[in-house]
Amino acid sequence: MSLAIRVIPCLDVDAGRVVKGVNFTDLRDAGDPVELAAKYDREGADELVFLDITASSSDRSTMLEVVRRTAESVFIPLTVGGGVREVGDFDRLLRAGADKVSLNTAAIANPGLLSEAAQRFGSQCVVVSIDARRCREVGSTSSGFEVTTHGGRQSAGLDAVEWAVEATRLGAGEILLNSMDADGTKSGYDLELIALVRSRVSVPLIASGGAGGAADFVPAVEAGADAVLAASVFHFGQLTIDQVKGALEAADLPVRHRAKTRGE
């Protein structure tokens, strides 16, 4: 039997508040992360992703407290990323209640960190987040997609598909693939990007960036995603977890239904 497709709300956290913008700009407040996390847990989300998008040293203690409070109030897996630069950061976040830790820029700067973290905590705890965009210059990468950093503003000089392959070779147990071109646009997931990465890696693949309606999630799974992640459509009430799972079920894709918790 096929594994159930996971539906994952993403909480971009800045100084202890959830924010969301378009292509990582024009951020607006979307609420308290602990309250939103508890709401999504009640509504049947399969996992949660927290991304500390500023990740300055002054916010690190805030993020640890947010992770701790959230882990105490939800009963679903929690992935946390942002500002992770060394194995000690993995340890602190996992001890605070995270189930998995996401790496982005630090993995590019120090690929050995992936192997070190995987050896110490297990590959299942190591998620590599890839902010990918279509290359501005034709032929600059073999796949036509490049890895970006700094919220999609700078090229890392890496082929996005080849980096996904290398990251899994080094120990990543999951890939969070975010289309920077589609992020926040609600124009649908980048299906070509998903399919290219799926054709080269065997670890679970989370599709991110571009969800605008319930119909957008099915093509992402058909392109190769094992999980679908979205933010603004959930935060601002355009869609519910049940609506997304209903669309997946209508397409004969397996989803997980949990017993509703008290208070719903």
Side-chain angles (χ1 to χ4, degrees):
M1 179 179 175
S2 300
L3 291 175
I5 303 303
R6 290 170 289 148
V7 178
I8 307 175
C10 181
L11 307 178
D12 293 328
V13 181
D14 180 9
R17 297 288 293 179
V18 176
V19 297
K20 188 58 188 170
V22 177
N23 304 129
F24 279 43
T25 62
D26 299 323
L27 300 178
R28 59 175 171 150
D29 189 276
D32 176 78
V34 180
E35 290 177 5
L36 279 175
K39 172 179 177 286
Y40 293 139
D41 186 14
R42 290 194 304 270
E43 292 179 351
D46 297 302
E47 295 186 15
L48 288 170
V49 169
F50 269 37
L51 298 177
D52 182 352
I53 63 170
T54 48
S56 68
S57 57
S58 61
D59 285 335
R60 176 54 50 209
S61 59
T62 299
M63 191 61 178
L64 283 172
E65 181 57 27
V66 169
V67 171
R68 193 172 291 112
R69 288 167 52 216
T70 301
E72 290 172 354
S73 63
V74 304
F75 303 94
I76 53 179
L78 179 62
T79 297
V80 181
V84 178
R85 298 178 181 87
E86 58 186 23
V87 167
D89 294 324
F90 268 81
D91 189 58
R92 281 185 284 275
L93 287 168
L94 293 171
R95 287 178 183 276
D99 297 280
K100 294 182 275 189
V101 176
S102 174
L103 288 169
N104 190 330
T105 305
I108 297 168
N110 178 18
L113 180 57
L114 293 174
S115 300
E116 191 179 355
Q119 289 169 5
R120 181 166 172 183
F121 303 107
S123 289
Q124 77 281 354
C125 291
V126 182
V127 179
V128 167
S129 177
I130 300 176
D131 290 339
R133 72 179 179 195
R134 292 173 185 273
C135 295
R136 302 298 186 254
E137 297 181 15
V138 176
S140 54
T141 69
S142 59
S143 71
F145 291 90
E146 63 182 348
V147 179
T148 68
T149 60
H150 300 84
R153 292 184 293 276
Q154 295 183 21
S155 172
L158 295 171
D159 184 301
V161 178
E162 294 302 331
W163 172 233
V165 173
E166 178 66 3
T168 58
R169 185 189 71 78
L170 289 167
E174 192 165 44
I175 298 292
L176 171 51
L177 184 63
N178 187 35
S179 167
M180 298 308 298
D181 298 310
D183 180 75
T185 65
K186 302 182 185 177
S187 58
Y189 293 93
D190 192 321
L191 304 181
E192 181 184 0
L193 175 62
I194 296 168
L196 282 170
V197 174
R198 174 79 290 161
S199 71
R200 298 288 306 280
V201 304
S202 58
V203 300
L205 180 62
I206 304 171
S208 170
D216 291 330
F217 293 85
V218 170
V221 174
E222 292 174 341
D226 301 282
V228 282
L229 179 148
S232 56
V233 290
F234 293 140
H235 301 339
F236 301 120
Q238 288 102 329
L239 285 175
T240 65
I241 305 295
D242 277 343
Q243 286 174 318
V244 173
K245 290 192 173 185
L248 293 169
E249 279 189 306
D252 294 323
L253 295 169
V255 297
R256 183 183 296 111
H257 287 290
R258 298 184 290 116
K260 301 294 185 180
T261 60
R262 287 183 299 175
E264 278 189 80

